[in-house]
Each structure stands twice: as structure tokens, then as C-alpha cells.
Amino acid sequence: MALKAVNVSDVPTPNLDQLPENNASLFSSRFNSDGMVLNVEAASFRAPKFLVIGHRGHGMNIMQSSDSRMEAIKENTIVSFNSAAKFPIDFIEFDVQVTKDDCPVIFHDDFIFSQEHGTVYEKRVTDLNLEEFLCFGPQKEAGKQGKRLLRKSKDGRMLNWNVQTDDSFCTLAEAFQKVNPSLGFNIELKFDDNVVYHKDHLSRVLQVILQVVSEYAKDRPIIFSSFHPDAAQLVRKLQQTYPVFFLTNGGTQVYYDVRRNSLEEAIKVCLEGGLQGIVSEIKGVFRNPGAVPKIKEAKLSLLTYGKLNNVPEAVCMQHLMGIDGVIVDFVQEISRAVDEMIIKPLHESLKEGKEEERKAKSKVQFSQQELSFLLKLIPELIQH
């Protein structure tokens, strides 16, 4: 089903407690002294360094993966978030949905799958109240048994959601309270691709989430993002403290809503809604490298996600292309690679007093022909 277009100008400004106005709330001790800058008037966002962001915390889960790291720690949990915080990353990315009784919770999939008496059943996360949501999986109370968790694979199989280090589900408020305060939050506003959302529903859900952010964020750096173009534009209208990024597959998948089908359309969504940046599937960028200078000319930031971001060489390539950061599953390996391949060389240039050379290297510009040549060095990556 198509995503219903919403005219954000028709949505009233919510009566929220005032969000913090000080842009220092975008500063993290992991960043350099420049901090992160959100220019509200110009609707632009600038990160002081190449950002490394932990996907769903320490990394997403893939059941029965050939790589044991995909089954190491339960994704989107407090344990996963704080495990990621042990490494020199800047943000964690996680998915927020709102339960039937208006509590923002952290969970990626639209449905929870479980099994009782040999029968598999599914429940939509947003149709559950908080108590029902929290009863799945490991429980906080000692001796209490939670409901069995299954996960649906891409080929339709139902698999036990087993990981090496498990943890209970959590709310957005708990994440603010229990996760290392120096770690930024990339909050993905999660909506089902197959559901039509009307403006009053979007507004209510976003206001509930913003209320929690207002109460608990303090000085923690925050970025909002969403695949839903109307939700992304609306959360920008409802608050102007934190940057908002539009998530896109970059043309690697086709949707009924044309705004989701290319990087060029993503630029339009951002400019029309006053958003600060784009988060794209990296394959979409590698297949269309000419979009990068267009994004920069529009004064937008560009982050990426996808399996290729777990390959150090692909991450280094992105830095050279002018991309601002990556969302990764292998936080230990990629944060180390970024330190060795990007951060340390720049610091060495500073030590040697080569300030102008450092600036030049950090702003490398490639022609379309040069980019095409560089990308041919990693064809096996783009094909997968």
C-alpha cells in the first residue's frame, strides 16, 4: 500500500514541554572541541569528524548467520548499546515504535513472532501495550520466564531468536537513563511500509516520542531519521533542536512512493522539509557516486548503512568521497579501521604542522571519471 502524503503545514505545533534550545545538546565528549553544529536558520548540520555509528547498538542480529558476530548480542537492547559504547564510536542507531498505550519502545521489526502449544503467531508491536511488549524474551525479574521469541528470515522461515548474550526489551526512556551518556543516539522513527498513516496519527506518535526526548535527552547528541518522508518532514516541523535525516535505499529497491526511489528524490524531500541530511544504503551511493556532490551542493550531510559498511576498504572509500559517516554492525573492527586509516593520519598531519595539507586531504574531491575508476577497484563489493 502507498504511504499517504501529509501536508505538514496542516499539523498544529504540539504543546510539548520546551525542548532544550542550547545547541550544546548536540555535543559529545567523543568529538573534538568543534562539537556538532546545527544551524537552525540555514537548516544545515555539520559533524566535526567522520562518524561511526553502531547499527542497532553493537550490531544487528541475523539468525543462523555464517558469521557468529551477527548472533553475538541481542540487538536494540541496553546490553547491546553499552557494549557498543566500549569502542570509539560516536552514535548508536536504533528503531523506535510507540505501543498502543503510548510508550516509545525500541524494536526493529513490525511484528513480534512467538509460539505457544506448537502454534506460531504474530503480533504487531504497535498493537501491544507496554506490559505485553515487555513479556517477550528475557525478563528483568529473577525467575520470571518470558514468552519464546522467533524471528522470520527473508526466505520466510521461522527461526529461534537465539544469541550468545541475551537481554530484555527496553523503552526509549530506559535507553536515555541506562546508556553511556557520551554516546549519541540516532533515533530511527519506525513505520510500516505497508500501512497508510494519516497526519493525525503521525503527529500523535511523534509527539509521544518527542516528549520522552524532551524529558531525558539532557546534553546527549541526537539525530532523528526515518524512511517515511512525511514523518521525517513532520518531526522537523515539530522540533528544531535536533537534526533530521531522510533514510533511503538510494534506488536499490523500488517503492510506490517515488520519493523513496533515488538519491535525487531524497534531496528534494530534504530541501522541501528543511531536513539536515540523508542516510542511504551504501550500494545506492556506490552505484550513483555523482549524487554525492549534488548532496553536498544542497548543503546536506550524508551518512550510509548496509553490509558493505562492515568492510574497512569500503568505509575508507566513503571518507575519500566526502561521506560524513557510516552505520556499521562490526563496531570494534570498523572503529579500529577508521582510527588507523583515517583518524591517525590526520592527527599526524596536525602534529607535523601540515594544517593546509590536512584540510585539503579531508576535502578530497573526485571527478565522475575518477570516482568510476576508484569504484572499479571494489567491483566484488558492489555486486553482492
Side-chain angles (χ1 to χ4, degrees), residues 65-73 164:
S65 172
S66 58
D67 192 322
S68 61
R69 290 174 291 185
M70 292 295 188
E71 299 177 355
I73 303 174
Q164 298 166 31

Side-chain angles (χ1 to χ4, degrees), residues 51-55 89-93 186 303 326-328 331:
L51 301 178
V52 179
I53 303 169
H55 187 208
I89 65 172
D90 308 290
F91 284 79
I92 49 171
E93 179 271 351
N186 173 189
L303 305 174
V326 289
I327 299 173
V328 307
V331 293

Side-chain angles (χ1 to χ4, degrees), residues 344-374:
K344 284 183 178 178
L346 290 179
H347 286 173
E348 287 301 316
S349 294
L350 277 175
K351 289 179 182 178
E352 295 172 10
K354 300 177 181 178
E355 178 67 16
E356 292 305 316
E357 180 181 343
R358 182 192 70 82
K359 288 182 179 179
K361 286 183 178 179
S362 67
K363 298 181 179 180
V364 176
Q365 297 291 328
F366 293 109
S367 68
Q368 181 69 44
Q369 183 178 6
E370 290 168 329
L371 280 172
S372 297
F373 172 76
L374 288 169

Side-chain angles (χ1 to χ4, degrees), residues 126-170:
T126 53
D127 287 341
L128 300 171
N129 60 38
L130 178 61
E131 184 178 2
E132 291 171 326
F133 172 77
L134 294 177
C135 77
F136 291 93
Q139 299 295 292
K140 294 182 175 65
E141 295 180 37
K144 186 175 181 181
Q145 186 71 29
K147 293 183 180 180
R148 180 180 177 187
L149 269 178
L150 304 176
R151 201 165 204 190
K152 193 173 184 178
S153 65
K154 288 187 176 181
D155 60 9
R157 292 179 297 156
M158 286 296 174
L159 304 171
N160 288 319
W161 197 338
N162 295 328
V163 293
Q164 298 166 31
T165 303
D166 214 337
D167 194 19
S168 56
F169 291 164
C170 67

Side-chain angles (χ1 to χ4, degrees), residues 92-327:
I92 49 171
E93 179 271 351
F94 54 76
D95 312 272
V96 172
Q97 305 183 54
V98 174
T99 61
K100 185 169 63 175
D101 52 347
D102 288 339
C103 181
V105 296
I106 300 178
F107 191 76
H108 175 270
D109 302 348
D110 298 315
F111 293 90
I112 289 180
F113 295 92
S114 188
Q115 187 175 31
E116 287 184 2
H117 310 299
T119 301
V120 174
Y121 65 90
E122 66 179 35
K123 290 184 179 292
R124 184 180 289 278
V125 173
T126 53
D127 287 341
L128 300 171
N129 60 38
L130 178 61
E131 184 178 2
E132 291 171 326
F133 172 77
L134 294 177
C135 77
F136 291 93
Q139 299 295 292
K140 294 182 175 65
E141 295 180 37
K144 186 175 181 181
Q145 186 71 29
K147 293 183 180 180
R148 180 180 177 187
L149 269 178
L150 304 176
R151 201 165 204 190
K152 193 173 184 178
S153 65
K154 288 187 176 181
D155 60 9
R157 292 179 297 156
M158 286 296 174
L159 304 171
N160 288 319
W161 197 338
N162 295 328
V163 293
Q164 298 166 31
T165 303
D166 214 337
D167 194 19
S168 56
F169 291 164
C170 67
T171 66
L172 178 60
E174 284 180 293
F176 276 114
Q177 294 170 306
K178 298 179 180 179
V179 174
N180 188 315
S182 72
L183 197 60
F185 284 178
N186 173 189
I187 300 175
E188 180 184 338
L189 307 166
K190 188 79 175 181
F191 296 95
D192 190 336
D193 290 341
N194 299 307
V195 173
V196 174
Y197 296 100
H198 296 277
K199 63 182 181 182
D200 56 343
H201 177 80
L202 283 178
S203 180
R204 181 182 64 80
V205 168
L206 294 176
Q207 288 182 51
V208 168
I209 294 170
L210 288 173
Q211 189 67 53
V212 173
V213 173
S214 173
E215 184 174 355
Y216 294 102
K218 299 180 180 178
D219 291 335
R220 190 186 297 273
I222 293 172
I223 295 172
F224 289 112
S225 62
S226 183
F227 280 105
H228 195 305
D230 297 320
Q233 292 181 343
L234 181 53
V235 78
R236 170 63 177 161
K237 182 180 186 298
L238 295 176
Q239 63 80 44
Q240 299 201 356
T241 299
Y242 304 110
V244 180
F245 282 48
F246 178 51
L247 272 158
T248 177
N249 293 96
T252 59
Q253 291 178 261
V254 178
Y255 296 88
Y256 182 86
D257 189 332
V258 297
R259 296 175 294 176
R260 300 186 61 184
N261 288 339
S262 71
L263 288 168
E264 286 74 17
E265 287 294 331
I267 294 172
K268 292 180 184 178
V269 170
C270 291
L271 294 180
E272 290 171 0
L275 310 187
Q276 285 71 42
I278 294 169
V279 185
S280 174
E281 221 291 352
I282 183 53
K283 286 183 181 178
V285 178
F286 278 170
R287 292 172 182 173
N288 183 16
V292 177
K294 294 178 183 177
I295 292 169
K296 295 302 176 178
E297 288 168 8
K299 294 182 171 54
L300 299 171
S301 292
L302 176 60
L303 305 174
T304 67
Y305 71 93
K307 291 181 180 179
L308 297 186
N309 283 355
N310 295 321
V311 180
E313 292 79 6
V315 170
C316 188
M317 166 68 79
Q318 294 178 61
H319 176 257
L320 294 175
M321 292 171 68
I323 291 170
D324 298 295
V326 289
I327 299 173

